[in-house]
Amino acid sequence: QRQLVESGGGLVQAGGSLRLSCAASGRTFSRYDVGWHRQAPGKEREFVAAIRWTGSSTDYADSVQGRFTISRDSAKKTVYLRMNSLKPEDTAVYYCSARPGTTGDRLRAAYDYWGQGTQVTVSS
C-alpha cells in the first residue's frame, strides 16, 4: 500500500549539487515524519536529515549541516533533499524513510518505512 520511491541520484563533481526526491503513496503521507538516511559500502546506514510531519522542525547530521536542506510538498506527496557543496564522503545510497508523525519523538529515532534507495556518487 504505502510506497516510497527515491529519485534524483547520480554522478556529480565535488562541490556540485543534487536534489533528491522521495515520492510517496498513501493518503496519510502528509502526517508522516520523513527522513533521509544513507549507506556507503561496508558502513552502517546513517541518519542524514529529517522533517517533522508539520514541517515545523528539521534535523541534520553534523556532516551535512549547512549543506543539505530537507523540505516537503504535501500536496505532491514528495519530500526533497537538496544537497549542495557535495563531497566525495557523501557518496552513498540514499534512502527515504517515513514514520507516523510525531511531536516529541526525536527525528533521528527509528523509521518504519523505507524506499529502495538512490545512488549518489561524488567524484573528486
Side-chain angles (χ1 to χ4, degrees):
Q1 177 73 275
R2 301 186 190 280
Q3 186 175 11
L4 304 173
V5 180
E6 303 94 333
S7 62
L11 175 64
V12 65
Q13 184 179 343
S17 299
L18 284 174
R19 187 199 199 194
L20 305 184
S21 297
C22 174
S25 61
R27 208 178 192 285
T28 60
F29 178 73
S30 64
R31 295 181 179 270
Y32 277 64
D33 298 339
V34 176
W36 287 93
H37 298 71
R38 67 188 183 187
Q39 186 169 25
K43 297 186 179 296
E44 294 184 356
R45 188 174 299 185
E46 66 173 341
F47 172 82
V48 175
I51 185 167
R52 206 169 295 280
W53 70 277
T54 61
S56 61
S57 61
T58 58
D59 193 19
Y60 298 92
D62 290 343
S63 59
V64 306
Q65 181 72 45
R67 299 188 297 119
F68 291 11
T69 302
I70 187 170
S71 62
R72 67 190 303 162
D73 186 335
S74 295
K76 295 182 178 180
K77 297 182 178 180
T78 302
V79 171
Y80 304 98
L81 183 68
R82 178 68 180 183
M83 305 183 295
N84 295 326
S85 302
L86 283 163
K87 306 174 181 179
E89 308 91 87
D90 296 317
T91 295
V93 177
Y94 283 70
Y95 297 90
C96 180
S97 58
R99 70 186 186 191
T102 64
T103 300
D105 200 8
R106 295 168 61 252
L107 284 171
R108 303 186 183 217
Y111 285 76
D112 302 309
Y113 307 103
W114 297 84
Q116 83 288 350
T118 184
Q119 177 71 47
V120 172
T121 302
V122 184
S123 64
S124 301

